[in-house]
Amino acid sequence: MSISTTAVRAYSRFSKAILSVAATWCMVSCQSDVKPVELHRLDRQIARGVMPDDSLSVKATETLFKISGYPAPTPLTVADYAEKPSIREHLDGVEREYGDTRRESMAIGEVFARMRSVLPQVRVPEVFAIISPFSQSVLVADTLLYIGLNHYLGADYVHYEYFPDYVRALKVRDRIPVDVAEALVRSAYPYRPSDDYPQVVTRLAYEGAVAEAVMRLTDRSEACVLGYDDSQYAWLCGNELKIWQSIVGGQMLFSTDYAIARSLVDVAPHVSVISPEVPGRAGRFIGHRLVKSYIDNNPSASMEHMLTPAFYCSPSLLTSAKYNP
C-alpha cells in the first residue's frame, strides 16, 4: 500500500478541520470554570502498608480490595497488600515521577469541566492515585476512579522492559487525562449491542464514538487519542480508502465474528486480519472517520446519542453517515 497524492491532500484537509474543532473546544474550555481535581494519593498510604483513617479513603480502599478479590482492609491486610512484589517494585518509580501531581489535577479538572457540556449525564467521580495490581491502568467503580500511576512511568521505565514497543509507547504520563476520559466514557456508555451476535460495523461505530467523545473531553487530536505516532497516523490517513476496502471486500463489515472485531480494534502491533502493514487499532481509526462523516451529515446529532445502540446498531447507520473515504 502506498500513500497517494490525493490521500495526502485529503489528510491535510482533515487535519485543518480537526484543528478548527480543537480550537473551538479550547475556547469553550477556557471559558469554563476549570478547577483542579483533588487527586487523593491513596498510593502513599496503602502501598506503604498504612491503613487510611479518613472515611473517603477507607471507602476507596474497601472498594479497591473488593474488586481485587482481597480480604476487607484492616491494618494486617493492608500491610500484606503493600508487601506484594507487584506493588513494592514500583514504589520508588512512582514517587520519583509523581512527587508533584498538580499537572494531572489540572488536566483531569479540564476533562471534568468539559464533561458538563459534552456528556452532562456522566457523574464526576472522586479520583484516587494507586499503585495498581491490575493490567488495567484506570478503573472506574461507581463514584470512584483509580489511576494506576505505575502504568505511566515512561516508555523506558526499567520494569516495562518485557512489554513490546507498542505497549510501552502508551505508558507515558501525558496519556493520563486521555485514559481517564476514555474510562469514564466506556463506564457510562458501555458497548451494548442489540443482539447476541453483533456485526463488526457496530463495534467500529461504537469505538469511533468513544474516540470522538474523548477528543472533545481532552481537546486532543485524533492521532493522540487513538495512540498513534506521526508516521503511523500519516500512513493511516494515506491509506484510509484501502483499509476500508479491505474491511468491506474481506466481508468483515457485517461479520458477526467477535475475533475479527477484536483484531480490528484491540491494542496490537498490527491488524492481522488485514495486513502486517496496518498499524494496530486501525478499526478504531476507521470507526472514528465513519462517526466524523456522520457528524458532518447530521450536525444536530448529540454525543450521548452516538454512544448508544440507537446509533451504532442502527440499520441506517451507513446510509446516514455517507462515509466515503
Side-chain angles (χ1 to χ4, degrees):
M1 298 183 184
S2 60
I3 302 176
S4 67
T5 302
T6 301
V8 171
R9 288 174 180 167
Y11 165 43
S12 177
R13 289 195 299 271
F14 184 80
S15 298
K16 290 177 182 177
I18 288 295
L19 288 173
S20 176
V21 171
T24 300
W25 282 102
C26 183
M27 287 190 291
V28 171
S29 162
C30 293
Q31 294 169 356
S32 300
D33 182 19
V34 177
K35 297 179 180 178
V37 165
E38 183 175 1
L39 183 56
H40 304 282
R41 295 301 299 267
L42 198 59
D43 61 301
R44 286 179 170 165
Q45 298 177 69
I46 61 174
R48 288 173 167 74
V50 177
M51 180 71 184
D53 54 11
D54 66 282
S55 59
L56 184 59
S57 294
V58 169
K59 177 186 176 183
T61 304
E62 289 173 346
T63 302
L64 178 65
F65 276 34
K66 183 177 180 179
I67 62 179
S68 303
Y70 299 148
T74 65
L76 180 59
T77 59
V78 168
D80 287 343
Y81 170 87
E83 287 300 311
K84 293 182 179 298
S86 59
I87 303 299
R88 292 179 61 191
E89 70 182 7
H90 299 300
L91 274 173
D92 291 342
V94 166
E95 192 55 42
R96 277 197 307 271
E97 184 69 20
Y98 294 99
D100 185 337
T101 55
R102 284 176 292 182
R103 171 175 153 191
E104 284 68 37
S105 294
M106 181 55 71
I108 297 170
E110 290 172 356
V111 170
F112 288 177
R114 294 187 185 99
M115 190 73 77
R116 290 194 290 270
S117 58
V118 177
L119 294 170
Q121 299 303 314
V122 177
R123 185 174 179 181
V124 171
E126 293 286 345
V127 184
F128 294 84
I130 62 172
I131 295 180
S132 174
F134 307 105
S135 58
Q136 192 174 347
S137 54
V138 178
L139 301 169
V140 180
D142 193 20
T143 59
L144 307 174
L145 183 143
Y146 302 89
I147 302 172
L149 296 181
N150 53 306
H151 284 282
Y152 300 100
L153 295 173
D156 296 327
Y157 177 55
V158 62
H159 292 296
Y160 297 163
E161 60 185 351
Y162 297 110
F163 290 119
D165 291 348
Y166 68 90
V167 172
R168 287 190 284 112
L170 300 175
K171 288 184 169 291
V172 293
R173 188 169 184 168
D174 198 44
R175 282 205 66 84
I176 289 179
V178 174
D179 289 351
V180 165
E182 183 168 336
L184 285 172
V185 171
R186 290 185 186 276
S187 176
Y189 299 93
Y191 177 55
R192 287 179 175 157
S194 54
D195 55 57
D196 293 335
Y197 299 97
Q199 295 175 334
V200 168
V201 64
T202 67
R203 182 65 183 275
L204 300 188
Y206 170 75
E207 295 292 338
V210 170
E212 177 67 22
V214 174
M215 287 173 63
R216 296 185 186 190
L217 290 171
T218 61
D219 195 26
R220 301 289 183 92
S221 69
E222 181 184 48
C224 173
V225 166
L226 296 178
Y228 294 118
D229 60 30
D230 291 344
S231 62
Q232 290 172 321
Y233 187 62
W235 192 96
L236 288 164
C237 291
N239 291 280
E240 181 181 353
L241 174 59
K242 291 184 178 180
I243 298 169
W244 177 247
Q245 289 174 335
S246 294
I247 293 172
V248 174
Q251 299 184 335
M252 300 180 217
L253 194 63
F254 301 112
S255 170
T256 57
D257 188 336
Y258 178 68
I260 291 176
R262 287 198 59 180
S263 179
L264 287 167
V265 304
D266 280 3
V267 176
H270 58 264
V271 179
S272 59
V273 294
I274 300 180
S275 166
E277 289 184 281
V278 181
R281 294 158 291 159
R284 294 190 71 196
F285 170 79
I286 291 296
H288 182 249
R289 291 301 173 95
L290 174 67
V291 167
K292 178 66 169 58
S293 182
Y294 178 84
I295 294 169
D296 291 343
N297 288 286
N298 302 271
S300 63
S302 71
M303 193 68 256
E304 288 178 315
H305 168 68
M306 290 184 286
L307 288 164
T308 67
F311 167 71
Y312 53 79
C313 291
S314 171
S316 62
L317 170 61
L318 294 176
T319 303
S320 300
K322 300 178 183 178
Y323 178 51
N324 185 26

